[in-house]
Amino acid sequence: MKIVSKAYVLIAILIAAAVFNLFLLYQEDNSDTSQSYSIIGAGDVKVKAESISSLATSVANGVLEDKEKLEKEITEVQLTLSTIRNGGEFKGHKLEIIPTSLITDYNEVLSSWESYKSKALIVEKTSVFDMEATNAMNYVLQKNQELVLVTDKLSKDLDKLDRDYNPHKLIAKELAECAKIIGQQSLLISIGEGENAQEILKEKNLQFEIGLRKLMQLSTSDLDVEKVGMTHEELIPIPRENSEALRDLDPLWEAIKVKIETLQERALLSPEFNLAKNEMAVEKNILFEKIDMLLNSWNEELSSQGSEGQIIIQILLGVDIGVFFLVLFIIRQSLSPLDTISKAISKVKEGVYGEKIEYSGSDEVGQLVANFNMMSNTIKEKEEEAKKTDIAKDEFLAMITHELKTPLVPIQGYADILLNEHLGKLTDKQKERISIIKSSSEALLSIISDLLDVQKLDLGQLRMTKQKSDIKNTITKAIETLQPEADPKNIKITYNAESLIINHDPERIGQVITNLIKNSIIAIEPNPGKIDVTLQDHPNEIEIFVKDNGVGIPEEKQKDLFKKFYQVDASLTREKGGSGLGLAICKGIIDNHLGKIRVQSIPNQGATFSFTIPKEEAVNTKTPLKSA
């Protein structure tokens, strides 16, 4: 059967199971819906009761517009309880009559509701505030500003006296401060804030009384002066001309003190209101308990009635699980080869061809497997043919470059003999022409040498002679070789390297450093040119940097720098020479040393090439080069 046909069948099975389940669940839900809404209504009574408590307190506080809301809430609770008992409409839904087994619990809820309702109505009609404490509070707040002004005037009157009256001045300032605090604490009590306001008020009342008596030469022996950190003392009389404010303060304080003592002893809220409110809270908690008992009994009733429904649901669940596993098994069996194909394709991406996938089916997956096996075998055959062709081409090219290199040696030799006039004197024009022959042969020899090296790298035939030697000597020798080429262009080459013995091929590593410096010389403008060669010693490897201040390399071209024949700027290379093989050879040499070579550059800000050499050579997993 085709996979598409299998999919249609499986989808049909799942749809049929889903429709059957929905039908049964719908029937089950219809039987429980009315009772569920009855339970919701009983729970709604708790919400309404909480609202009634807040509204009753609000009305008692004088918010008369909440009285109508309170009556409405009470009416709605009455209607809800009646509907739960006798059935009917509740918020657009039909409720059934409460089961007979729950009548006792319902009657307890109804009785508790009546008690709670009566307590809420008592709270509504009870005055919130104690009138005597309220009058005292209003009087203190009204007279406090006058008290503050008189104490301030007293302080100013005493400031005119000499140093003998310094204790009087200090007490006067304390009285002024106490007057302000008394006003602040009274205001906090009036708005229901200030947790310790009454205690503070009591303390400042005592402190004010002690200070006033001292100024008036009255005894303080009957007062607890130590409680407020004061002492008994007798002061000299204040001159009459400076005691006018003191005479005004005495009767004013006597009137305010009486009211403050009332505030110290009595709360603003009336005891009757607190008692009624507490009784309402107790009845509310009892009502909530009765409602919770009714809801628990109702849930147990539903659980017992729904046992058959639970059995049906369990059967449906078992059927659903069976159908699910059946569908899962069929899908897994049909699509399991796709995972094998995916893994085989991943291997093809890594260059592994020719692996055969076993699959006996004749569906679309089977056709895909057969096509993949055929494609993999074809790619493998083509890959093997291409490898043989590449090897033959590389061997031929290596032979040709070697043969091209051979006649260049005598050309250079005879050019040197002629230039040194071993065969006779030459004119300046003849020397110029022979110099061109020599430089051209040297350029050609350099290109052929690069071609020969890169072909040997590809064939694994580049000779390496690794030995324990000082890397500093290798760097120094490479720089000294190129110094004559840099000096005429006023390019400064600096290096910072410490002596370090590591296993490497000095000639090949020197070739890498030379190639990198040559590239920097080409990229640098004359006169301000600078090339820095530095060595960094890491725990497991060394890293050599060649940094210049040349034209830099665009970011999009950096990824191809180490490919054969790649040139960043072909016109510049043709003008200044180069085969595009130097960096490819550098990479091959560094790879053979199990290191890494990389570049960092920003256009017009120079370039930095770096490569690493491990201090201890590990097992080389790359294709080995022939080493001496």
Side-chain angles (χ1 to χ4, degrees), residues 322-529:
V323 172
F324 172 77
F325 278 109
L326 175 63
V327 172
L328 183 63
F329 173 76
I330 295 173
I331 293 176
R332 183 182 180 87
Q333 189 179 36
S334 299
L335 301 181
S336 59
L338 295 179
D339 182 55
T340 305
I341 294 173
S342 177
K343 292 178 179 178
I345 291 174
S346 298
K347 290 183 178 180
V348 169
K349 289 171 61 179
E350 296 172 0
V352 180
Y353 311 113
E355 288 194 2
K356 186 177 181 181
I357 301 175
E358 299 293 338
Y359 184 73
S360 58
S362 59
D363 54 13
E364 294 93 334
V365 176
Q367 296 174 7
L368 180 60
V369 168
N371 292 334
F372 175 81
N373 289 336
M374 185 182 302
M375 177 197 70
S376 181
N377 289 332
T378 302
I379 293 176
K380 182 179 180 182
E381 293 173 0
K382 298 296 184 183
E383 180 75 10
E384 290 175 352
E385 291 177 4
K387 286 181 179 179
K388 291 177 182 179
T389 303
D390 287 343
I391 292 172
K393 179 188 68 175
D394 290 339
E395 289 176 347
F396 175 76
L397 188 55
M399 179 191 69
I400 291 299
T401 53
H402 183 272
E403 293 302 322
L404 287 173
K405 186 176 181 181
T406 301
L408 288 174
V409 176
I411 292 173
Q412 287 182 316
Y414 283 118
D416 286 334
I417 291 172
L418 291 172
L419 287 173
N420 292 328
E421 297 182 336
H422 292 302
L423 299 180
K425 292 290 184 179
L426 299 175
T427 64
D428 291 340
K429 192 170 185 179
Q430 288 172 333
K431 287 182 179 181
E432 181 183 353
R433 297 293 186 270
I434 294 172
S435 296
I436 294 173
I437 293 172
K438 181 182 178 181
S439 62
S440 298
S441 64
E442 288 175 349
L444 183 58
L445 180 61
S446 176
I447 294 174
I448 292 173
S449 295
D450 286 348
L451 282 170
L452 188 58
D453 284 345
V454 81
Q455 291 305 316
K456 286 181 178 180
L457 280 170
D458 289 342
L459 296 172
Q461 296 174 355
L462 186 64
R463 188 177 184 84
M464 294 283 174
T465 306
K466 296 181 183 178
Q467 59 187 14
K468 296 281 187 179
S469 59
D470 193 343
I471 191 64
K472 180 178 180 181
N473 294 337
T474 303
I475 297 173
T476 303
K477 185 178 179 181
I479 293 174
E480 290 175 349
T481 302
L482 292 173
Q483 196 68 53
E485 186 176 342
D487 289 341
K489 300 180 180 181
N490 195 19
I491 294 175
K492 184 178 180 181
I493 303 178
T494 62
Y495 70 97
N496 178 18
E498 59 180 301
S499 294
L500 194 63
I501 305 299
I502 64 168
N503 188 36
H504 71 289
D505 185 336
E507 180 181 349
R508 292 302 181 186
I509 295 300
Q511 182 181 356
V512 173
I513 298 173
T514 301
N515 281 345
L516 295 180
I517 294 176
K518 279 184 178 180
N519 289 345
S520 293
I521 291 174
I522 293 173
I524 292 175
E525 295 293 335
N527 297 325

Side-chain angles (χ1 to χ4, degrees), residues 32 48 105 128 152 233 251 289 341 426 505 509 532 554:
D32 294 337
K48 296 290 186 183
D105 292 330
V128 174
D152 283 343
E233 60 180 328
E289 290 177 3
I341 294 173
L426 299 175
D505 185 336
I509 295 300
D532 294 324

